[in-house]
């Protein structure tokens, strides 16, 4: 592991305590989301300037300028027509990225324009050392590097809290069924839950979880979360290896949680959710036969 990465992980670790020390509350979530919606156009214009137009080598900046849309043009269009209409017009003029272009598998090609890109070209440069890195699962092809920071997860947690409250499951026992690093989904969902003040009872991982099966970085991260969480009153569970063939184990946890609390929640991929439903049906049929 590079020294620069070790320093970055140490910086992230120092921010973890403050992150979990102040959970998002429902009134806070409603207020912050309402404020963001009320100032949506201003935020969009500001971010476009700082993250695109102020970085002239950015593929997005070059693509917009190729389409004849400088910053003043974008600003005027958003003020006059709104964000959606502006984006629809730009899409029609060739300002978009295909999935392959976004993953830098192919260059951005438009009439008279060819832009070879790197994955890092589409990252937020202002995250710097505060970023949390991982990768998508790659279930539909090459995995994509994913980058987050504490502020982003805090903002996302506010939306999750409204969703949980809407469905009446904000106090339900929770389990995660996501892989450990390098896939980012598991640690991402764990952080969101902790920001809501909810500690998952279980963390089932599609990938092996023994210390001998994971990288040094993953080992350090998991040990820090386990022991650091306990030091701050958060009994973060150790991940347990449960691949797709073991959905029955997840169902068994759900049944036990429902007996205790009348309800349970599992956060997972859609495909894994289907496996849970299949395992539950099979388990129910077996119980009836017995």
């Amino acid at each position: 592991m590079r020294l620069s990465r070790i320093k970055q992980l140490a910086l992230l670790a120092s921010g973890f305590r403050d992150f979990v020390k102040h959970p998002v509350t429902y009134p806070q979530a409603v207020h912050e989301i309402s404020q963001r919606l009320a100032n949506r156009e201003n935020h969009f214009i500001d971010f476009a300037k700082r993250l695109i137009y102020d970085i002239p080598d950015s593929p997005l900046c070059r693509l917009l300028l190729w389409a004849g849309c400088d910053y003043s043009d974008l600003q005027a269009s958003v003020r006059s027509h709104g964000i959606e209409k502006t984006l629809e017009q730009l899409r029609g003029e060739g300002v978009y990225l295909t999935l392959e272009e976004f993953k830098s598998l192919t260059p951005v090609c438009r009439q008279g324009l060819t832009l070879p890109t790197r994955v890092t070209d589409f990252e937020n440069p202002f995250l710097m050392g505060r970023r949390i890195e991982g990768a998508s699962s790659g279930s539909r092809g090459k995995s994509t590097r994913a980058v987050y920071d504490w502020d982003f997860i805090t903002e996302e947690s506010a939306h999750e809290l409204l969703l949980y409250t809407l469905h009446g499951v904000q106090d339900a026992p929770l389990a995660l069924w996501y892989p450990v690093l390098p896939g980012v989904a598991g640690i991402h969902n764990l952080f969101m839950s902790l920001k809501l003040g909810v500690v998952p009872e279980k963390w089932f991982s599609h990938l092996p979880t023994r210390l001998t099966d994971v990288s040094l970085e993953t080992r350090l991260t998991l040990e820090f979360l386990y022991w650091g969480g306990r030091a701050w009153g958060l009994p973060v569970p150790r991940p347990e290896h449960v691949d797709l063939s073991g959905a029955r184990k997840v169902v068994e946890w759900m049944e036990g949680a429902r007996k205790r609390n009348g309800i349970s929640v599992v956060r997972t991929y859609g495909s894994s959710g289907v496996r849970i439903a299949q395992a539950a049906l099979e388990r129910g049929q077996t119980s009836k036969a017995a």
Side-chain angles (χ1 to χ4, degrees), residues 137 176-181 183 185-186 203-209 239-247 250 266-276:
S137 65
L176 307 178
W177 193 16
Y178 291 110
V180 296
L181 294 169
W203 178 1
F204 303 109
S205 170
H206 300 75
L207 298 178
T209 59
E240 304 173 32
H241 182 206
V242 177
D243 60 21
L244 286 176
S245 65
V250 182
V266 175
R267 291 187 63 95
T268 188
Y269 302 120
S271 56
S272 299
V274 172
R275 294 296 185 104
I276 291 174

Side-chain angles (χ1 to χ4, degrees), residues 56-288:
D57 291 335
S58 163
L60 296 175
C61 180
R62 295 177 66 183
L63 190 57
L64 282 160
L65 295 178
W66 165 83
C69 180
D70 62 20
Y71 176 67
S72 60
D73 295 325
L74 182 72
Q75 186 178 37
S77 180
V78 171
R79 297 293 189 206
S80 301
H81 308 296
I83 296 175
E84 282 75 15
K85 289 294 184 182
T86 296
L87 294 178
E88 287 175 5
Q89 181 177 350
L90 289 172
R91 170 65 177 81
E93 294 173 356
V95 180
Y96 62 89
L97 292 173
T98 66
L99 181 60
E100 290 74 18
E101 291 168 348
F102 178 70
K103 289 187 173 184
S104 296
L105 298 176
T106 61
V108 178
C109 293
R110 305 292 183 268
Q111 186 174 4
L113 178 72
T114 300
L115 297 174
T117 66
R118 300 166 298 176
V119 173
T120 53
D121 288 334
F122 304 109
E123 292 180 356
N124 184 342
F126 296 103
L127 295 184
M128 303 300 288
R130 299 181 298 115
R131 66 191 186 187
I132 301 165
E133 294 184 10
S136 65
S137 65
S139 59
R140 296 186 180 182
K142 181 182 177 182
S143 64
T144 303
R145 199 154 69 109
V147 181
Y148 304 86
D149 71 347
W150 296 127
D151 292 339
F152 174 84
I153 297 176
T154 298
E155 180 177 323
E156 192 172 15
S157 298
H159 291 267
E160 291 298 311
L161 180 54
L162 293 190
L163 180 65
Y164 277 41
T165 304
L166 177 65
H167 291 282
V169 296
Q170 67 272 23
D171 297 319
L174 172 68
L176 307 178
W177 193 16
Y178 291 110
V180 296
L181 294 169
V184 75
I187 199 165
H188 177 198
N189 280 274
L190 174 64
F191 285 156
M192 279 201 303
S193 299
L194 296 179
K195 191 61 179 177
L196 298 180
V198 178
V199 180
E201 291 188 5
K202 292 286 188 178
W203 178 1
F204 303 109
S205 170
H206 300 75
L207 298 178
T209 59
R210 293 180 304 179
L211 296 184
T212 55
D213 294 325
V214 297
S215 68
L216 174 61
E217 180 173 329
T218 298
R219 291 202 301 271
L220 291 174
T221 301
L222 294 177
E223 288 302 299
F224 170 78
L225 290 172
Y226 182 80
W227 293 110
R230 275 159 174 72
W232 301 316
L234 300 170
V236 175
R238 289 192 183 278
E240 304 173 32
H241 182 206
V242 177
D243 60 21
L244 286 176
S245 65
R248 185 185 180 95
K249 186 171 184 179
V250 182
V251 172
E252 290 172 353
W253 173 84
M254 293 180 69
E255 290 180 348
R258 288 185 62 191
K259 289 178 181 177
R260 288 183 282 111
N261 296 274
I263 192 172
S264 62
V265 173
V266 175
R267 291 187 63 95
T268 188
Y269 302 120
S271 56
S272 299
V274 172
R275 294 296 185 104
I276 291 174
Q278 291 173 335
L281 289 173
E282 292 170 2
R283 184 173 171 82
Q285 291 170 355
T286 301
S287 298
K288 289 177 182 178

